[in-house]
Amino acid sequence: GSQVLMALVGRALLLLGLLVAVYGIGASLYGARTGRSEWVDSGRRAVYALAGLTTLAFVILEAAFLRSDFSFNVVAEHSSTTTPTFYKAAAAWSSQEGSLLLWVFLLSLWSSLILFLTRKRLREIAPYATAVLLGFGAFFISLAAFFANPFTTTAHPPTEGAGLDPLLLHPSMMIHPPMLYSGYTLLTIPFAFAIGALVTGKLGSEWIGITRRFALAAWLFLGIGILLGAR
């Protein structure tokens, strides 16, 4: 019963996240168009809310892997009772479903960080950047909610799971995918602010200065991820 409940909560968090993202896009664009800062602020807070919701969803998925809860289909397909705990934790992102959730989780964290840092700056560009970031968030969370849901369950769980793909039993499995996804999602930040700059015609260097660290971090994480993947 509790497993089914956690799966339902996970699914509900994804759907709520999608609603929050869509609302945030609307609020940001409306605030930018009408010059009403309270709507812009509300749009920014939607990103924080999305980060909170996806964090909770990811914790639920990780907990299912760590306790070998095979009523979760994704756990039964990618983990087993004999999988070492280290790899049980990493198995969450060995699946497409878990990877999508990790992606939107990281995207919302980095987005929250940049929007928190720029909350008093880039007033014209930021709401458009927020809308772009939430657009990506909505896209990925809708994939997770409707096409590759990590919270699908079975009423008669198997006693043993299929286990992690032997190719993935490597220590860097713990670091490689999160590094790659951090790199990809961090690149979304300069992209979103570039779109905001183009929309508003504020093509000065201020937004570049502020997002530069995110671009460098993206390059660093992608580089590490690619090297670990090759290793």
Side-chain angles (χ1 to χ4, degrees):
S2 68
Q3 286 98 329
V4 175
L5 178 66
M6 291 317 281
L8 276 172
V9 170
R11 178 92 199 232
L13 288 168
L14 294 181
L15 295 172
L16 197 55
L18 180 58
L19 288 173
V20 163
V22 171
Y23 163 77
I25 294 168
S28 297
L29 294 176
Y30 178 71
R33 294 280 178 197
T34 58
R36 294 176 66 178
S37 61
E38 68 271 23
W39 284 93
V40 172
D41 292 342
S42 185
R44 187 179 69 247
R45 284 193 283 270
V47 179
Y48 304 159
L50 182 62
L53 293 166
T54 52
T55 301
L56 284 173
F58 199 72
V59 167
I60 290 172
L61 185 65
E62 274 291 347
F65 270 97
L66 290 172
R67 66 170 187 267
S68 292
D69 183 353
F70 299 130
S71 62
F72 283 67
N73 295 342
V74 69
V75 179
E77 287 161 17
H78 297 279
S79 188
S80 66
T81 53
T82 55
T83 303
T85 304
F86 178 83
Y87 290 114
K88 278 181 187 169
W93 46 77
S94 71
S95 65
Q96 183 184 31
E97 295 88 346
S99 291
L100 281 168
L101 184 55
L102 176 65
W103 189 294
V104 73
F105 162 63
L106 290 169
L107 176 68
S108 60
L109 284 188
W110 303 130
S111 301
S112 295
L113 181 59
I114 186 72
L115 292 173
F116 180 74
L117 293 173
T118 59
R119 65 194 182 284
K120 302 225 183 345
R121 303 158 77 181
L122 299 176
R123 292 227 182 252
E124 279 125 333
I125 293 176
Y128 292 103
T130 305
V132 172
L133 292 168
L134 283 170
F136 281 108
F139 173 73
F140 282 105
I141 208 163
S142 62
L143 288 182
F146 302 115
F147 301 105
N149 187 353
F151 300 110
T152 53
T153 55
T154 180
H156 306 288
T159 51
E160 186 53 276
L164 190 62
D165 184 333
L167 285 173
L168 302 178
L169 286 166
H170 188 281
S172 67
M173 185 56 197
M174 187 53 97
I175 319 161
H176 164 66
M179 281 286 165
L180 273 185
Y181 296 169
S182 286
Y184 287 132
T185 51
L186 277 163
L187 279 172
T188 316
I189 308 272
F191 172 77
F193 278 83
I195 296 294
L198 287 168
V199 169
T200 56
K202 303 274 175 195
L203 298 171
S205 60
E206 191 189 3
W207 72 270
I208 297 175
I210 290 171
T211 58
R212 178 183 152 85
R213 280 172 295 180
F214 286 80
L216 291 171
W219 188 86
L220 176 68
F221 283 148
L222 265 181
I224 292 169
I226 290 166
L227 285 170
L228 285 173
R231 173 84 182 80

